[in-house]
Amino acid sequence: MTNRNTLQAKARYIKKNFDEIAILGAFARLVTSDSDHFSSDEQTVLTALRRSSPRLENASIEDLGDYLKGYDENQIAGIVSNVKGILHEVEFVEMENLDGDSVTAALFSDTNHPGTDVLMFDESTGESWEIQLKATDNSSYVADWVDSHSDGEILVTNELAEKLDLGASGFSNEALTCRTEEVLEKLIKLDNDDTIWS
């Protein structure tokens, strides 16, 4: 395959995957009436939660609440961490695709894509590259990735970017964590309130 064909294939991949995320979010809002109980920002967290497991992809609000009720407090902390990371990716891609420049971004279909999280493409130059995003306050976690990917590009949440002199994604780890915790708590509370579902 020629270089031009490769670039066109990557551009199609980015468009297809960006469209799929947008469609998934819109479909989930329509099917489950998320907007009845959740703001637009909260619905983005729901999109990240649904993306965190194949079994949650088309889950209703009630199903999400039932899923979370099956875990103890320590396990919920792990789910928060995972969903927060996915939320970081979803929001970064959305921000990159709405900023009006020639660079677009797409999530890989797998949330556990090896080594990187986002595929970037510059329409003006035809250049494409992959980046890793980290939403954490653990600097050793970031350092481990940097050590094992010496040629890779990583963007971290604002708090660690300043501390480690790395590129910032434009998002706060603390804010992402709080938003995720609030939505998961709300799901559990809604699931405990039988009057909502009846």
Side-chain angles (χ1 to χ4, degrees), residues 117-175:
D117 297 315
V118 177
L119 178 63
M120 308 291 287
F121 181 74
D122 188 333
E123 294 174 3
S124 65
T125 66
E127 179 188 8
S128 66
W129 66 100
E130 298 177 11
I131 63 171
Q132 174 71 18
L133 294 171
K134 293 284 186 202
T136 182
D137 56 8
N138 186 336
S139 55
S140 64
Y141 182 51
V142 173
D144 288 345
W145 188 91
V146 170
D147 289 344
S148 59
H149 299 84
S150 57
D151 293 334
E153 181 179 348
I154 186 169
L155 296 177
V156 297
T157 41
N158 299 343
E159 298 91 334
L160 272 187
E162 189 174 324
K163 183 177 176 183
L164 299 177
D165 196 28
L166 291 171
S169 66
F171 295 92
S172 159
N173 183 60
E174 183 179 352

Side-chain angles (χ1 to χ4, degrees), residues 72-117:
D72 65 32
E73 195 172 309
N74 290 333
Q75 292 169 317
I76 291 289
I79 293 170
V80 166
S81 180
N82 183 36
V83 172
K84 170 192 66 171
I86 296 168
L87 176 62
H88 186 213
E89 297 163 13
V90 169
E91 297 237 309
F92 176 83
V93 166
E94 182 177 3
M95 178 184 72
E96 186 58 57
N97 289 327
L98 295 176
D99 67 4
D101 65 14
S102 63
V103 177
T104 56
L107 297 171
F108 293 102
S109 55
D110 261 346
T111 55
N112 59 352
H113 183 268
T116 55
D117 297 315

